[in-house]
Amino acid sequence: MKTWIPDARNFSYLTWKQVDALPREKTLLVLPTAAIEQHGHHLPLATDTLINNLLLGKALAQVSTEMPIYALPPVCYGKSNEHIGFPGTLSVSAQTFMAVVRDVGASIAAAGFKKLVLYNTHGGNTSLVDVMARDLRAEFGLRTFTLFGSGGAGAEGISQQEKTYGFHAGEVETALLLHGTPELVHPQEYTANYIARVEESALLKPEGSAANFAWLTKDIAPSGVLGDPTAATAENGERWATAAATRVAEALVAMYNFVPRHGA
Ligand SMILES: [Zn+2]
């Protein structure tokens, strides 16, 4: 898998003696979680994993080398059963995903490290990552953190419709890959599909609302795209990646420096 993680920030490039020399209390380890799943006719299966790596790599390149912050190898296989029925989707169950994250956390805790970030770029993993951050805190006493996608940076200039319903293989993901791995994007294969319109005031939403319906991609988007990639450009991809990496870097520094405030 292509990587943007600086070599000096790649935990798996260290020897065990180098790991042993790291300051255990301070070191912040980042576990990327993503997916290998269909992304329409025009993007590769590894899209979420590549985006995770691109944003995290650019973020780590901005962080002071004084701070011992390392990227662990990613959990590439995610809970992707919303995309079953599309050849190439390689999904693990919620139980398997949580077991892998738990075991990695156990290994980190056993080595004496204290701080772990779960950095997730696949929507199907989000609720599991939230669960695991709390469970690792409770079971091993790890100081755990969650971080998602762009770290809260918006995709400047995007339409409200695409921002709300461009869930998957839409303009943002396509632009990020046009920037990061243009050789893996197939613009002649673009398809567009929206499962709802922002101007419609339906009571039940596909997600993120107080009342939602559970969806499978094959039921609602035959091509596998949820959104519209047509307007994506490499220039926007670079701008959005840079803005996201800055937010991710800021979040990592805040996590590195984090001291919980205790009540009186
Ligand atoms: Zn994706």
Side-chain angles (χ1 to χ4, degrees):
M1 190 80 68
K2 184 166 176 173
T3 188
W4 291 263
I5 305 293
D7 285 355
R9 298 291 192 173
N10 192 326
F11 186 81
S12 66
Y13 287 178
L14 300 174
T15 68
W16 78 262
K17 292 294 287 180
Q18 289 171 320
V19 172
D20 196 35
L22 293 174
R24 301 290 209 286
E25 298 284 332
K26 286 167 59 181
T27 299
L28 186 70
L29 299 176
V30 184
L31 180 63
T33 59
I36 304 295
E37 64 183 22
Q38 75 81 19
H39 271 75
H41 300 178
H42 71 284
L43 292 181
L45 303 169
T47 294
D48 292 356
T49 305
L50 290 165
I51 289 172
N52 191 306
N53 199 285
L54 172 71
L55 300 184
L56 181 58
K58 280 176 173 268
L60 289 173
Q62 294 179 28
V63 172
S64 161
T65 51
E66 307 279 284
M67 294 181 185
I69 303 178
Y70 291 89
L72 299 166
V75 179
C76 295
Y77 299 111
K79 181 176 175 293
S80 295
N81 57 352
E82 71 272 36
H83 299 298
I84 53 172
F86 293 88
T89 296
L90 305 179
S91 180
V92 296
S93 67
Q95 291 77 10
T96 299
F97 180 86
M98 291 194 292
V100 170
V101 173
R102 182 196 172 277
D103 289 354
V104 172
S107 301
I108 286 164
F113 292 99
K114 306 294 185 202
K115 299 176 109 180
L116 176 66
V117 184
L118 304 179
Y119 175 46
N120 180 55
T121 50
H122 165 54
N125 296 339
T126 301
S127 47
L128 306 179
V129 164
D130 283 333
V131 167
M132 289 316 299
R134 178 148 296 121
D135 280 8
L136 291 171
R137 172 97 193 104
E139 185 172 357
F140 300 109
L142 285 170
R143 177 65 61 195
T144 48
F145 304 90
T146 59
L147 182 57
F148 297 100
S150 67
E156 197 199 321
I158 203 164
S159 73
Q160 196 57 35
Q161 173 64 25
E162 183 66 13
K163 183 180 172 189
T164 310
Y165 290 113
F167 293 153
H168 188 74
E171 184 177 346
V172 174
E173 290 191 333
T174 302
L176 290 173
L177 263 65
L178 282 172
H179 164 55
T181 54
E183 69 280 11
L184 301 182
V185 181
H186 307 280
Q188 68 282 9
E189 301 284 349
Y190 284 166
T191 61
N193 176 64
Y194 285 123
I195 58 175
R197 306 286 319 181
V198 276
E199 60 271 19
E200 291 166 357
S201 58
L203 176 61
L204 299 182
K205 297 283 172 68
E207 54 189 59
S209 171
N212 308 290
F213 61 90
W215 49 271
L216 293 177
T217 306
K218 66 180 180 183
D219 298 335
I220 55 178
S223 74
V225 172
L226 297 155
D228 186 351
T230 316
T233 65
E235 292 70 28
N236 278 341
E238 181 168 19
R239 275 196 312 126
W240 296 339
T242 301
T246 299
R247 288 297 293 263
V248 168
E250 288 168 357
L252 292 175
V253 170
M255 291 164 181
Y256 176 80
N257 289 320
F258 179 75
V259 178
R261 206 183 296 182
H262 295 273

